[in-house]
Amino acid sequence: MFKDPDFGKKLKNQKALLLLSIPFVVYVLIFCYVPLFGWIMAFQKYKPNLGFTKSQFVGLDNFKFLFRNKDFMLCVRNTLMMGVINLVLGTICPIIFAILLSEFRFNMGKKFVQTVSYLPHFLSMIILTGIVFDVLSMENGTLNKLLMGIGVVDKPIQWLAEPKYFWWIVGFANRWKETGWDSIIYLAAITSINPDLYEAASIDGAGRMRRIWHITLPGLKPTILILLIMNVGNVLNVGFELQYLLGNDLVKSVAQTIDIYVLNYGIGKGNYSIGVAAGIFKSLVSIILVFIANTSAKAMGEESLY
């Protein structure tokens, strides 16, 4: 690149864009890279009063403690399972919703549905949790009333007291909140598909489902693969707000995530080294998952990130 005789000229022509990018580069450096210096705590028995320089160096002892700790391994299992559920639902639901919207022919109705579907994205987790409690309440919950009304169950179900339901409750709550927002990029990808393909298919006698299967889905394939690779890296980033707010002693065994573990041990008990070590573990797993997903996609001749 630097041997290009026109490099200086190209750089000069892009001067305005480079200047505009400086604040964003500085932001990333300050808030994303400088804090990585704190990772040194994971290899120390860190004490705030001693600081980084005087705290005892313990090597990999904090990581050994994590992998021998049953509570942490339980959190890893819970985080992974909820992450997989979010990955599957988070891939399928926005695609289906985007396709349904693209097939909607009444423009005013389509815009209304789009707007309504985006609104939950802007709700805080506190509000979302309140809605989930109201819907799943044993006494006056909408879901229990519906199931009893149509004869599916004879008595109300304690949804938030049964561990077997908890992961799915979190997964569907997240999907209700984010499906509309996540569908935006798929809708944009659908609009970029050549409309002549649909017209030609219609002339050849293809129905709506065949057009979706043979034109829309293949057109969405590159977008789906790129987002899937990126989302694979976020399998362990299931958050902690929803799990922390919905969790209780009855479902504690399935509600605890790595982030909640970090909160309890790192901040609650003041064991910052253990909290940082758990965070490093989650970051490394995410990087490995992205690398595996990207390499697999490239080996199959599909779209990849790099």
Side-chain angles (χ1 to χ4, degrees):
M1 179 180 67
F2 296 102
K3 294 181 179 180
D4 187 350
D6 297 327
F7 177 73
K9 184 178 180 180
K10 292 178 181 177
L11 193 65
K12 186 176 180 180
N13 292 336
Q14 301 295 325
K15 182 172 65 175
L17 293 175
L18 291 172
L19 290 174
L20 286 173
S21 68
I22 289 175
F24 300 101
V25 173
V26 172
Y27 175 86
V28 170
L29 288 174
I30 293 176
F31 293 100
C32 296
Y33 286 95
V34 173
L36 292 179
F37 177 75
W39 278 14
I40 194 174
M41 284 190 288
F43 306 96
Q44 296 178 325
K45 190 174 182 180
Y46 180 76
K47 300 293 182 183
N49 61 318
L50 297 177
F52 293 116
T53 56
K54 296 183 180 180
S55 293
Q56 179 185 356
F57 182 79
V58 295
L60 298 176
D61 287 355
N62 291 320
F63 293 94
K64 293 177 182 177
F65 171 82
L66 286 178
F67 297 131
R68 292 170 182 169
N69 187 280
K70 292 182 179 179
D71 290 338
F72 179 73
M73 299 312 296
L74 194 66
C75 291
V76 172
R77 183 205 67 177
N78 297 338
T79 304
L80 184 61
M81 292 307 299
M82 282 186 272
V84 171
I85 290 173
N86 282 337
L87 178 65
V88 174
L89 295 179
T91 301
I92 295 174
C93 293
I95 294 172
I96 295 175
F97 185 69
I99 292 174
L100 290 175
L101 275 180
S102 68
E103 294 294 322
F104 206 78
R105 296 294 177 243
F106 182 47
N107 287 332
M108 288 296 293
K110 180 178 179 179
K111 291 179 180 179
F112 175 76
V113 172
Q114 278 184 282
T115 303
V116 171
S117 69
Y118 299 158
L119 292 178
H121 171 76
F122 300 100
L123 297 178
S124 69
M125 281 297 181
I126 298 294
I127 297 175
L128 176 61
T129 304
I131 294 172
V132 172
F133 275 124
D134 288 340
V135 172
L136 301 181
S137 171
M138 187 175 177
E139 291 80 14
N140 300 309
T142 307
L143 184 57
N144 275 325
K145 285 185 176 180
L146 176 64
L147 294 177
M148 291 175 66
I150 61 178
V152 176
V153 296
D154 298 326
K155 59 181 181 179
I157 298 174
Q158 293 181 316
W159 297 103
L160 295 173
E162 293 285 346
K164 61 183 179 181
Y165 299 131
F166 189 82
W167 292 342
W168 294 101
I169 290 172
V170 171
F172 282 107
N174 277 321
R175 279 307 93 213
W176 176 79
K177 187 175 188 296
E178 300 295 344
T179 292
W181 187 260
D182 292 344
S183 68
I184 293 175
I185 192 166
Y186 294 111
L187 283 168
I190 290 173
T191 58
S192 67
I193 298 175
N194 190 346
D196 292 341
L197 296 175
Y198 291 101
E199 185 177 350
S202 298
I203 294 172
D204 289 339
R208 180 169 292 185
M209 291 304 297
R210 284 190 174 275
R211 293 197 298 269
I212 291 173
W213 184 258
H214 293 288
I215 299 175
T216 305
L217 287 177
L220 287 175
K221 186 178 178 181
T223 304
I224 293 172
L225 288 172
I226 292 297
L227 291 178
L228 184 60
I229 293 170
M230 296 173 65
N231 290 335
V232 164
N234 289 319
V235 163
L236 296 184
N237 292 326
V238 295
F240 75 94
E241 299 100 328
L242 198 56
Q243 294 86 345
Y244 187 78
L245 295 170
L246 289 177
N248 55 64
D249 290 339
L250 295 174
V251 295
K252 184 177 180 181
S253 61
V254 296
Q256 299 290 303
T257 64
I258 295 176
D259 290 334
I260 294 178
Y261 185 89
V262 171
L263 177 68
N264 291 336
Y265 272 80
I267 299 177
K269 296 184 179 181
N271 197 335
Y272 303 106
S273 297
I274 294 295
V276 173
I280 291 176
F281 166 77
K282 192 176 78 168
S283 299
L284 291 178
V285 171
S286 297
I287 293 171
I288 292 171
L289 288 175
V290 169
F291 177 77
I292 292 174
N294 190 79
T295 304
S296 300
K298 189 182 294 185
M300 292 185 290
E302 303 292 349
E303 295 288 335
S304 59
L305 287 175
Y306 52 87

